[in-house]
Structure formats: structure tokens, C-alpha cells
Amino acid sequence: MLQHPENFDVIVIGGGHAGTEAALAAARTGASTLLLTQSIETIGQMSCNPAIGGIGKSHLVREIDALDGVMGRAADLAGIHFRVLNASKGPAVRATRAQADRALYKQAVRSFIEHQANLKVFQQTVVDLLVERERVRGVVTQMGLRCLAPTVVLTTGTFLGGKIHIGFANQPGGRAGDSPANALAERLRALPFRVGRLKTGTPPRIDGRSVDYTVMTEQPGDEPTPNLSFLPARHPRQVPCHITETNPTTHDIIAAALDRSPLFTGVIEGTGPRYCPSIEDKVVRFADRVRHQIFVEPEGLDTPELYPNGISTSLPFDAQIAFVRSIKGFERAHITRPGYAIEYDYFDPRDLELSMQTKVIGGLFFAGQINGTTGYEEAAAQGLLAGLNAARQVAGLQPWFPRRDEAYLGVMIDDLTNLGTNEPYRMFTSRAEFRLRLRQDNADQRLTPIGRELGLVGDERWRAYADKRTRLLDVKSRLERWRVDPGSDVAAVLQANCGAQINRATTFLECLKRPEVSVDKLPELLTGIDTDIVRQVETEVKYEGYIQRQDDEIAKIRRHERISLPGELDYRVVQGLSNELRQKLSDARPTSLARAARIPGMTPAALSVLLVHAKKLRASA
Amino acid sequence: MTSLDTDTIAAVATPPGQGGIGIVRISGPRALAIGETLTGGGLQPRRASYREFVDSDAVIDRGIVLYFPKPNSFTGEDVVELQGHGGPVVLQMLLGATVGQGARLARPGEFTERAFVNDKLDLVQAEAVADLIASASVAAARGALRSLAGDFSKQVHEVDQAILKLRVYVEAAIDFPDEEVEFLEHGEVHRKLGGLLDGLAKLQRDGRQGVLLSQGITVALVGAPNVGKSSLFNRLTGEDTAIVTDIPGTTRDLLKVDLILDGLPVRLVDTAGLRKTTNPVELEGVRRAAGEASRADLVLEIRDLSVPAADPHDALRLPLATKRILVLNKTDLVSGAGSRSAADEVYISCLTGAGFDELKAAIKQQVGFAGEAATFSARRRHLVALQSTRVALERASAELAAKSPGEIIAEELKLAHLELGSITGEVTPDQLLGEIFSTFCIGK
């Protein structure tokens, strides 16, 4: 059999968002890395909506960025419309979203790949894994080429067992016309992983030259244009988005076509996401609504194609044309690509360790949609972690992963590997119980020093980080030394602009702790001080109390984390557990008491029982 | 292995019911501080001191306090034991005082668990620990179920649902700001929070009354002179342990005694005989009797079987809701009586003691006392959780008033929900998201 002349440390299969961050992360730490993709042209492709970020998601992007991943920088280079979300709801849930030019985004990611040391790219479809004694040894490609490596990161998205539905017509397929990797799927199915089936959908794409923007609501981007990355970048030309909506006629057309809907006639078996229902779902489930919003997102600067976000559908094509043309501004719309639903296999992420290595095959890592997640950001974050840990394993190092109180990435991998998922998993801020400390603005402080130690963070970012840190400390100490006396000019401004009474001598930093005081209302006092930096100092002092309040809880979780539960523990013989909990624990196989505590239905008494049992096992071992 | 928790825990360590001595045990890093606050300080290791147990300047009890520094204690942590006079009322007050100072109510078997984790038990003893925790938690779960029975449960779940609904709005506004969700106006959140706090306050009041935790129940004896009130009073107090025999403020017309009736704390009030009178002293007695009876949880209306029924106009005008038992005395003088006792009508003889078991049973039945300590401690636990829920909601309300950002309000609401979750079961983030998706049409 043909063999690649080079032996690699890490092989990454797939060039999507998980695959690229995985390959880049492994290579950044110095591992000799091979990225195998079906098509070099599709590296960094956004197969669904042309946007990066959003609530919970931009938090992930910031964390990837803090670890020197590329998603944030690519989005900055490709972003043609930026908005800050939740500006008024507090710094922790504030988020950034960018509409990205697909072509520019792909180009940016490909450029990062092609300039990365230790990383080689090869265009071949992988058809088999080489496995020996429950360890991966490499892969076999379509042309029979063997590529050897002690670790393999699989990031094949929806390609496994993919099936596309448009009305009752369905065909095997990956996203957007790519061929499904069914040979590999067969191979993986033969391994003892638990497999589930999910569903997702896309809207029909529309030619922008055939729509009437004048009847839609224009939504301009924010000024000044925010950044996703901590590193400065120049954005391309900015364009507006538009908003239109469905109407009762649209809903009637959809209702009349439901008998030809694969979703409503039982043809589709996979579970779709609750937060991203198809338009037919919305019409049925919320029948009293007379309109549904549609965000009309540009696909790029150089293409007239539009992504009408909000009308994903698997109705037959004639129904798609009819309902689209019933929408204000779309009366003469030309559909460039039909909407469709895709069903695909995913592997139960409870069969993964927190490092993203599979529990079954040593050296084999999974990342991205294959683990039941949805979204570019979720995929990229997992990819980065999987690539890093594959490289660390080859280097003989312990795996690294953040905890729930350290990063959204930590929340996601803990949720996935501990609880699994039965719908495409998407990040929301409400999943993060410590979200007040997991902010966009401090992702670098949370992760960049760790990333530097892990070998992920390059010199340029490290310098930028150190510089920001110096400025933060500097501003903080200046505000701390700034005396504010009652009756002083500064006190007068605080009273006039914020309604804050200064009754005794204090410092400016102390004043910032008050809820009514905001640096944004005090421009005349803060001239010459970096606005972003002073805002961050304000957040830190205002949130100090809330964050300290969580410290006890976090300390407790860490103690619980140190109490490990053996993987082979037979929960059936543990006295004092309900049958329901026995079943849940047997399915989840939590690795520590802390993870057992997060299983729904767990009680303090059951945890006590597990603690005693774990200690007994250790004592008798 | 380190201890599972660093909380300081407290519990009544002696079996429930009557007993000559009752012990409240405190274990954990703050045990000494709490013990010293309640007993006046200066505790010496392993030295017994006779002290007053004081909470907020009120003397709850007097007794022996013992301090065992770690690691030479039962649990391996700092332990303080307060040994006082057994009665459950006093013990619950003492336990409440430790919670007021920052202790947490111990879970069933938790002292033993800590002893085990800190290597204070050998493996053979340890075998029993899991069983103990399991059986203790089964008993506790049963107690919790009983505490949660009926109206109390309904109200708790109403509060739980109200918090959930509010969180659905607040969290949806945070995670889905782009959606066409009709989010709550600031004033609306404020109004809903206010309603929640009111509901919770009522729930706390009802909850306390429901299991008569703070002071037990008050039973008033009423009836015409010479029907046997005093004999009944003496027989009831004579057969049971009196905690305090002298209550300040007692007049010769109104005699009060606290006693434990099969585990149920009862304050028995003997009232002056009721009859039409013009004597100003007697009038005052009657007035007090009427007041006492109308405030009582239960009235025992005593009649003499051997004389014709008294003029109904002599009967007390009691609030309709007042529960009462008609006690027909002197069965020894009337042949054939006494076999017809029911929950609201009991035949007794103070002379022979006949019918007293039935009377006690009727009292317990009328006030809904199941007689098991597990219900008692479960309700205590529930009330602590309700109080913590309320504190968190009050913080949310204060943050709202201070115009703090939505994420802070959301944080306080989450904590409130978490506290209540110790009664109703925790709502996971995924369940919350599920509620959001079923409430609003979300999704681009």
C-alpha cells in the first residue's frame, strides 16, 4: 500500500472551522501537522449563515482569539457589518456579531493556514482509520495512501451519513453539495461509539438584484465598528443589513404545503434545534403570530447573493418560491439555491474525555459538529482544544482544558462530555453559571497567559497582551490614587452627570463602584485615558463583589473535582441511589464528584453516597 | 481526601421528642465562633462550661457547652456542642440561632459523613455509613414529602413557577435580544418581583404555622366553672413533661404551661370560668379568656356530662375558623358514655383518666400533627430555603431599583431560584432554555 513519506505528529481530517483551528493549534505548539481535506477550495468555508459571533458565540470567538486562534482575526478581515449586542444589559453578556463576506473569510483562513509553520495541507478524502490495539495509527485516503500519525483529529461535520431533504426528494450529501464521506462513516460506525441523528436546515438563498430594499427596514452596522479579535485589524467596506417579515399569506402558503413537508410527514427523524426552527415549524407552533422577522444578510461585497435568515425550510421547491415571493420586498425574488434540511449522524460526546480524545480509541480526537454541536464558533473552539491536546499527547504532556469558571469553552466541553446533547448544541450565556466573570473584555486576561504557557500564543499576541495589561494596571492605579473630596469640582461633575452624592473623601475608583456612576457619562473627567481600558476597570470594580461571592462555590466545585469516580464503577451495586440516578450515572460515567453533581436530578444525599463509595473503593484498593 | 464542604453545619443531635437533655451539635470552621457568640465566648478545649444560651439578647436556655478542636472531634472538624433542656421548641430555637450565625442545617447523616471523610471511622464502620446516609435520606425525603403536602406545596410551586417565568423573560432578553420577544418593561419586572416577595412572605407565615415550628400550638381550655378545666389541665400537665412551669405575666386567672404532647409542643392555657358576671375582677378574667381563646390554635370546650347542657349564650364567641374539640367530662358519673369519641367530640374522665389517649389523638389530628420528627426538620429546612430565596429576591429588587444591568438582576434571580430549588428540585439551564423556546418563537 502507498505510504506518505512523512510521519506526522497530528493528522487533522476536515478543513472546516474545527479542522482549521485544530491544525493551526497543533502546529503552533510545534507538532508536525497534516491537514487532510476533501477540497482545499473549501477550507474555512461558512456553510450556513454568513455571520460570526453573536451572544455566547462571540465569547467563544474571544477565547479562541485569546489562545491565538484565527477565527476572530479572520472575521475582522472579512466582516462587512458589525454590531454590538446587549450593550445595555451589562458587560458580561455584551457580545459582538459580524456579517462576513464568505469569500474574504475563506481567503483569510486559508492564508493563516498557508502561513503556519509545521502545517502541511493535502487534498484527499479519508476513507479509513488505521487502528491497532485500541490506538489510532493513521488514516487511509481515497487513493489508498496511508498517512501515519500517533494522533488523529476528526472534524468531519455533517458529512457522516448526511441526507439532504427538499420536499420528499432526498439524497445523500454533505453541506452545500459536497459529497458525503460515507465510507469513513461506515468505518466509524463499526467502532463502539454511541451514534445519534440530528437535523438542521438552511433557507433558500436569494439574488439581491431581484429584491426591493426600499420597502425593507435598513439596519446599519455600529459606529465605531467593533473588533472581534483583541489584535487590531482593518475591516473591509461596511454595508447595511435589512429586515423584512412574513405575513398571513406567507403562512397560508406554508400551511397548505405541510402535507409535502418531510419534517411534518415523519420523513425526517433527526432532532432539530429548538432555537432555530424552520419557518414551517414556526408557523405551526406559533399559529397566532401574524408575522415572523427575516434578517436579510449580504453574503459578500462582490456577490449579490443574500441569506434571508429566519426562513430555513425543507418544503418542496415550488412552495419555497411561492412563500418567498409573498414576502415584502421579495415579490420578484430569484432563488439562487433552494433551502433544504440536512440529517446527519453525530457521536455521543459523552464518549469523549474533556481533552476531546475518544474514550474508546487512544489518540483519536473528535471536534465540531460531529460531536452534536452547531455553529462555527462552537466547532472552532473544540477544534482548537482537540488540536492542542493531540499535540500535547504526542509530546508526552498532560491534556489541558479550561474549567467552567474559566471559559465558555470549559462550559461547552463539560456540558457535552458530561451530559451529552439531544439537539444540536449551541452556546448561550445562560449555560454559563459563572457568566459574570466570563466576559468578552477579559477573555485575554483569562486565557492568554495560559495559552502562552501551553505554547499556543505567539510573540505578537503576547506583546499586545502585555501592553494591554500594563495599561490596565496603570489606569487602575491612577484611579485609585485620584482623591475625590466633597465639594470638589470632580464631585460636582459626578453629581451633575450621574447624580452621585459625594459625602466624604474617597477615591475615583471607589466612586466607580456605585451603580449610578458610569465612565461613559464622565467624558470630561477622563480625557486622555483609553476608553476601553477605563471601561474594563469600571467593570472589574463594579463586579468585584458579585464575583467574590462565587468564589466559595468555585472552591467547592474544585474540591469535588479532585474526588474522582472510577470509570468502571458499577452504579447498580451502589446502595442508596434511586434506579433513575443509577441509570443516568451509568450513561454519563462522570469522572469526578463535581461532574456527577451536574447531572440533572442529582441530590445532595446521592452525592454523599457517591463520595462515601468512592472513598471506600480507594481504601480497599 | 479533603472534606466535601467547608460549610459549618448544625443539627439537633439527640433523638426527637421528650428527653431530659437535648444537644445541638455544630461542626466546621465557624463552629467555635458560632458557639462563642451564643454562649458568651472564652470556650476552652474539652472543658465543660455552664452557660446561658443567648440569641439576640434573649436567653433561650441554660446548659453545658463543650468545644472539641479539630482534629480530635467526632467529625475531625471543630465541633461545639450545646447541651440544654430537651424540649423540641427550645432545641429548634437554638438550632435557628446557629443558622442565624451562619451555620447550615446538616443533611441527614452529614456528621457521620464528615467523620468518615476525615478518617475518623474505620472501614468496617464506614460500611454502615452509606446505609445510614441512604436510610436517613429516605426518612428525610419522606419528611419533606409530608412537609410539602397540601396547600404549602401548592404555594411553593406557585412561587417556583413565578420565579421561572420571570427568569424566562429576563434570560430570553439577554440571550435573544434580536428576536421579536415582548420583553418585560422595567416597571413590569419590578411589579412582578414585588408580587413574588409578597407571595413568599405569606408562604413563610403559613409554613411556620403549618408545622407550628416557632412556638408550637396554643390550646385553650374554656368552659363554665367547675366543669373540670383545672382537673383536665392538671392531668395533661401532670402526665407530660413541662418545660417551663412559670411564665412571666401569668395571672391567677390565666394559667399557661408549655408541654410536649406525644412530641407535639403545646402551650396549654387554662382560662377563667366563663359565666355572666358583674364582678370587675371576674369580668377581666373572662375578657382575657375570650381573647386567649380567639388567638388559640385549638380550643377545648369542656362540659360536664353530669349536669344539663349550659346555656349556649354562655359559650365563647370564637372566630369561625378556630378549631375546637368538645370535651365531655365526668364519664365516671354517667353510665354508657365515652364510647362515642370523635375528632371533634371526646368523652373523658379526669378522675379515672379514661379517654385521655383519645383526647391526645384528637388534638394531634385537629392540628394536623403527624408526630414524626422528620416532618418537623424537613419543614425547618424548607423555611430556611424560603428565607434564602427571599433574601436573594430582595437583592434582585434592590438591584432593579438601583438600575443595575440586566445580567445582575438575572444573577440574583438565578440564586433565588437555586435556593428554592433545594425544595422543588433544581431547574437546569437546559430546562430554562426549553421554557424560553416554548414561550417565545425564537430562531432565525
Side-chain angles (χ1 to χ4, degrees):
Chain A
M1 197 185 263
L2 217 57
Q3 187 160 322
H4 200 286
E6 203 171 337
N7 281 2
F8 295 95
D9 292 330
V10 179
I11 291 175
V12 177
I13 308 172
H17 305 280
T20 50
E21 293 288 0
L24 287 163
R28 282 205 299 285
T29 66
S32 151
T33 308
L34 176 69
L35 175 64
L36 284 168
T37 170
Q38 287 186 330
S39 162
I40 288 177
E41 272 62 49
T42 59
I43 284 178
Q45 174 153 294
M46 310 173 93
S47 51
C48 190
N49 66 322
I52 301 277
I55 294 165
K57 288 166 165 280
S58 70
H59 291 78
L60 283 171
V61 176
R62 282 282 182 141
E63 291 174 0
I64 294 165
D65 192 67
L67 295 169
D68 221 1
V70 301
M71 177 165 259
R73 277 179 285 169
D76 279 341
L77 290 169
I80 54 176
H81 176 106
F82 286 81
R83 282 184 66 211
V84 173
L85 309 169
N86 275 349
S88 66
K89 297 196 188 88
V93 299
R94 195 167 297 154
T96 314
R97 188 175 56 216
Q99 297 301 141
D101 178 305
R102 281 183 199 281
L104 290 178
Y105 188 84
K106 215 157 73 172
Q107 187 184 315
V109 173
R110 186 163 163 188
S111 169
F112 283 118
I113 294 275
E114 287 171 351
H115 288 88
Q116 176 64 52
N118 312 319
L119 175 58
K120 293 194 166 83
V121 181
F122 191 55
Q123 176 170 306
Q124 268 287 293
T125 299
V126 172
V127 294
D128 204 0
L129 291 174
L130 296 168
V131 177
E132 263 173 37
R133 285 192 298 273
E134 296 181 354
R135 266 211 72 91
V136 74
R137 295 257 293 119
V139 301
V140 181
T141 74
Q142 206 159 24
M143 67 186 214
L145 179 74
R146 288 156 60 103
C147 301
L148 299 186
T151 59
V152 171
V153 182
L154 194 72
T155 70
T156 46
T158 61
F159 286 75
L160 291 170
K163 192 187 220 180
I164 285 178
H165 299 264
I166 304 175
F168 289 144
N170 57 62
Q171 58 178 52
R175 271 288 175 84
D178 291 322
S179 60
N182 274 333
L184 184 59
E186 288 311 307
R187 171 66 183 173
L188 288 166
R189 247 188 262 266
L191 294 169
F193 295 115
R194 288 175 280 188
V195 178
R197 200 146 172 84
L198 294 174
K199 173 233 137 181
T200 186
T202 66
R205 315 287 173 83
I206 293 170
D207 187 334
R209 292 169 303 175
S210 66
V211 309
D212 180 5
Y213 290 112
T214 62
V215 298
M216 302 182 195
T217 311
E218 186 178 286
Q219 192 183 39
D222 283 348
E223 286 288 343
T225 317
N227 277 7
L228 271 162
S229 173
F230 285 103
L231 296 179
R234 191 178 299 163
H235 301 310
R237 177 164 66 85
Q238 300 295 293
V239 296
C241 289
H242 291 84
I243 299 173
T244 183
E245 61 199 30
T246 60
N247 54 56
T249 311
T250 318
H251 300 179
D252 289 345
I253 297 168
I254 289 165
L258 286 179
D259 57 343
R260 293 185 294 145
S261 151
L263 197 61
F264 284 91
T265 51
V267 177
I268 291 177
E269 293 160 359
T271 316
R274 289 172 297 178
Y275 45 82
C276 193
S278 61
I279 186 66
E280 48 268 37
D281 243 339
K282 293 194 225 178
V283 166
V284 170
R285 283 181 47 219
F286 294 89
D288 53 329
R289 294 282 299 260
V290 292
R291 49 189 214 88
H292 294 281
Q293 241 179 7
I294 302 167
F295 292 83
V296 183
E297 304 175 352
E299 294 252 342
L301 294 175
D302 252 3
T303 167
E305 210 171 11
L306 296 174
Y307 190 95
N309 207 342
I311 51 168
S312 104
T313 183
S314 56
L315 289 174
F317 187 58
D318 60 294
Q320 294 188 20
I321 297 176
F323 88 70
V324 164
R325 290 190 171 176
S326 74
I327 294 165
K328 192 161 72 173
F330 289 171
E331 291 84 355
R332 296 184 305 108
H334 170 67
I335 292 178
T336 51
R337 311 173 204 215
Y340 61 89
I342 177 165
E343 281 188 288
Y344 56 97
D345 286 351
Y346 76 105
F347 291 116
D348 189 332
R350 290 178 299 180
D351 291 332
L352 295 179
E353 292 165 1
L354 280 163
S355 63
M356 310 306 286
Q357 181 177 224
T358 63
K359 288 178 182 170
V360 180
I361 307 291
L364 180 63
F365 294 73
F366 288 170
Q369 214 163 0
I370 192 173
N371 292 334
T373 63
T374 174
Y376 310 140
E377 304 81 358
E378 288 83 351
Q382 291 172 64
L384 187 150
L385 193 64
L388 166 71
N389 283 324
R392 287 179 72 78
Q393 188 176 92
V394 176
L397 299 167
Q398 286 296 308
W400 175 83
F401 41 83
R403 290 186 310 266
R404 296 180 71 92
D405 57 297
E406 290 175 316
Y408 274 83
L409 175 52
V411 172
M412 176 171 65
I413 56 169
D414 183 65
D415 278 351
L416 288 172
T417 60
N418 195 31
L419 308 177
T421 186
N422 47 24
E423 71 177 331
Y425 180 98
R426 191 196 128 166
M427 187 43 75
F428 296 107
T429 68
S430 50
R431 295 196 196 271
E433 63 274 44
F434 302 115
R435 76 178 164 197
L436 291 184
R437 58 178 75 206
L438 306 184
R439 302 187 305 268
Q440 267 197 164
D441 65 62
N442 69 3
D444 53 345
Q445 285 155 284
R446 290 186 275 124
L447 295 173
T448 302
I450 302 171
R452 181 71 174 176
E453 261 175 59
L454 295 167
L456 282 173
V457 170
D459 292 340
E460 186 197 351
R461 182 174 300 273
W462 185 241
R463 274 195 301 272
Y465 168 76
D467 174 55
K468 181 186 160 190
R469 205 180 116 79
T470 309
R471 283 183 295 147
L472 265 174
L473 291 174
D474 175 54
V475 167
K476 194 166 180 181
S477 83
R478 274 170 71 186
L479 300 183
E480 212 164 8
R481 280 172 300 159
W482 185 352
R483 236 179 102 94
V484 180
D485 288 312
S488 64
D489 293 351
V490 174
V493 175
L494 283 165
Q495 164 78 57
N497 297 18
C498 306
Q501 282 277 0
I502 307 298
N503 295 323
R504 56 188 162 85
T506 180
T507 68
F508 197 85
L509 200 69
E510 282 298 316
C511 296
L512 276 186
K513 288 185 182 172
R514 302 192 184 183
E516 71 271 23
V517 176
S518 148
V519 295
D520 290 336
K521 292 183 193 159
L522 300 165
E524 63 266 57
L525 294 182
L526 298 162
T527 46
I529 301 184
D530 185 329
T531 320
D532 284 345
I533 296 288
V534 78
R535 274 201 198 114
Q536 196 171 338
V537 170
E538 178 186 3
T539 304
E540 277 171 13
V541 298
K542 275 208 168 77
Y543 279 29
E544 218 170 11
Y546 303 105
I547 283 170
Q548 275 169 2
R549 202 168 65 183
Q550 298 174 335
D551 286 346
D552 281 350
E553 182 62 23
I554 291 171
K556 182 170 154 185
I557 292 172
R558 290 193 191 167
R559 282 194 304 279
H560 287 204
E561 261 159 13
R562 282 197 290 272
I563 300 167
S564 57
L565 298 171
E568 68 279 8
L569 202 156
D570 184 356
Y571 289 99
R572 287 170 306 177
V573 304
V574 180
Q575 290 300 311
L577 292 176
S578 70
N579 283 334
E580 188 194 348
L581 273 181
R582 284 192 180 125
Q583 186 60 49
K584 281 181 176 172
L585 287 162
S586 303
D587 287 344
R589 309 228 140 263
T591 48
S592 68
L593 205 61
R595 278 157 71 80
R598 287 192 285 273
I599 292 173
M602 203 55 163
T603 62
L607 276 184
S608 296
V609 166
L610 285 184
L611 168 75
V612 168
H613 200 80
K615 182 161 170 134
K616 237 160 59 182
L617 283 179
R618 190 169 313 172
S620 54
Chain B
M1 194 184 287
T2 51
S3 174
L4 197 59
D5 292 301
T6 55
D7 314 3
T8 297
I9 54 172
V12 176
T14 38
Q18 314 94 307
I21 189 170
I23 300 176
V24 168
R25 185 183 282 152
I26 316 166
S27 176
R30 300 207 56 234
L32 180 60
I34 294 170
E36 294 203 320
T37 306
L38 298 179
T39 62
L43 296 182
Q44 298 296 315
R46 292 173 301 282
R47 286 268 300 274
S49 336
Y50 184 72
R51 298 285 178 92
E52 287 184 339
F53 303 157
V54 181
D55 183 27
S56 324
D57 295 333
V59 177
I60 303 172
D61 199 0
R62 291 180 184 81
I64 302 293
V65 55
L66 286 162
Y67 164 48
F68 305 96
K70 71 176 180 185
N72 298 315
S73 70
F74 172 62
T75 58
E77 305 174 328
D78 281 354
V79 168
V80 169
E81 283 188 8
L82 304 170
Q83 310 189 344
H85 300 92
V89 179
V90 169
L91 281 174
Q92 288 298 329
M93 282 170 74
L94 204 51
L95 186 59
T98 67
V99 172
Q101 295 298 325
R104 165 169 76 67
L105 293 180
R107 291 189 299 267
E110 198 171 3
F111 286 94
T112 317
E113 177 188 319
R114 289 192 178 196
F116 171 72
V117 169
N118 293 323
D119 296 315
K120 289 285 162 181
L121 304 175
D122 63 32
L123 199 60
V124 180
Q125 290 171 300
E127 289 298 328
V129 174
D131 287 348
L132 182 140
I133 293 169
S135 62
S137 49
V138 166
R142 226 184 271 136
L145 264 184
R146 268 196 305 273
S147 163
L148 268 177
D151 211 41
F152 182 66
S153 160
K154 205 175 131 237
Q155 288 183 51
V156 166
H157 283 98
E158 275 167 15
V159 170
D160 186 57
Q161 284 301 308
I163 296 178
L164 177 64
K165 277 211 177 102
L166 200 51
R167 288 190 72 205
V168 160
Y169 276 98
V170 172
E171 292 288 345
I174 285 173
D175 267 339
F176 307 97
D178 266 357
E179 306 288 340
E180 291 175 291
V181 173
E182 283 147 29
F183 293 121
L184 294 181
E185 293 299 314
H186 190 270
E188 183 76 347
V189 176
H190 192 79
R191 202 183 57 75
K192 282 189 192 283
L193 254 177
L196 251 174
L197 280 167
D198 289 347
L200 206 50
K202 177 172 184 305
L203 185 51
Q204 283 179 296
R205 277 196 307 274
D206 294 359
R208 262 191 290 273
Q209 282 164 4
V211 283
L212 333 151
L213 259 183
S214 40
Q215 74 281 25
I217 60 160
T218 302
V219 175
L221 306 186
V222 302
N226 300 322
V227 294
K229 289 200 303 299
S230 294
S231 312
L232 177 63
F233 187 87
N234 289 336
R235 205 171 243 288
L236 279 175
T237 55
E239 284 188 355
D240 293 288
T241 313
I243 303 168
V244 186
T245 45
D246 268 335
I247 291 167
T250 310
T251 70
R252 65 189 165 91
D253 301 316
L254 215 55
L255 192 58
K256 297 183 190 178
V257 165
D258 285 348
L259 56 94
I260 306 298
L261 202 136
D262 291 355
L264 171 69
V266 169
R267 169 164 291 181
L268 200 58
V269 184
D270 185 12
T271 63
L274 294 167
R275 63 173 177 185
K276 286 178 180 161
T277 177
T278 49
N279 180 323
V281 177
E282 266 193 81
L283 266 178
E284 175 61 16
V286 172
R287 197 186 62 76
R288 288 189 191 191
E292 199 67 36
S294 65
R295 279 192 300 275
D297 299 292
L298 179 67
V299 168
L300 302 188
E301 194 178 332
I302 301 147
R303 288 191 198 159
D304 186 344
L305 269 174
S306 63
V307 297
D311 182 349
H313 293 295
D314 282 352
L316 274 180
R317 290 208 177 81
L318 295 174
L320 270 178
T322 306
K323 289 178 177 153
R324 66 174 93 191
I325 298 173
L326 188 60
V327 182
L328 300 156
N329 189 20
K330 307 190 187 177
T331 51
D332 48 299
L333 298 179
V334 182
S335 59
S339 56
R340 293 169 288 154
S341 288
D344 56 355
E345 194 172 296
V346 182
Y347 292 80
I348 60 162
S349 164
C350 288
L351 193 70
T352 65
F356 269 73
D357 286 344
E358 287 82 356
L359 177 60
K360 287 180 194 172
I363 291 172
K364 286 187 287 179
Q365 190 182 340
Q366 283 289 346
V367 300
F369 181 69
E372 280 190 56
T375 317
F376 234 68
S377 58
R379 180 58 67 93
R380 156 71 72 182
R381 205 178 292 278
H382 290 165
L383 288 175
V384 168
L386 290 179
Q387 180 58 26
S388 311
T389 307
R390 183 171 169 181
V391 168
L393 286 177
E394 276 164 356
R395 281 198 310 259
S397 186
E399 294 286 3
L400 198 68
K403 298 203 164 50
S404 295
E407 63 190 24
I408 297 291
I409 317 290
E411 177 79 6
E412 300 294 1
L413 286 176
K414 182 185 79 187
L415 291 177
H417 211 181
L418 217 58
E419 295 290 356
L420 198 62
S422 67
I423 307 181
T424 55
E426 202 180 308
V427 171
T428 65
D430 201 57
Q431 285 165 334
L432 180 69
L433 283 166
E435 283 295 323
I436 291 176
F437 300 136
S438 61
T439 309
F440 305 116
C441 181
I442 274 166
K444 295 206 286 185

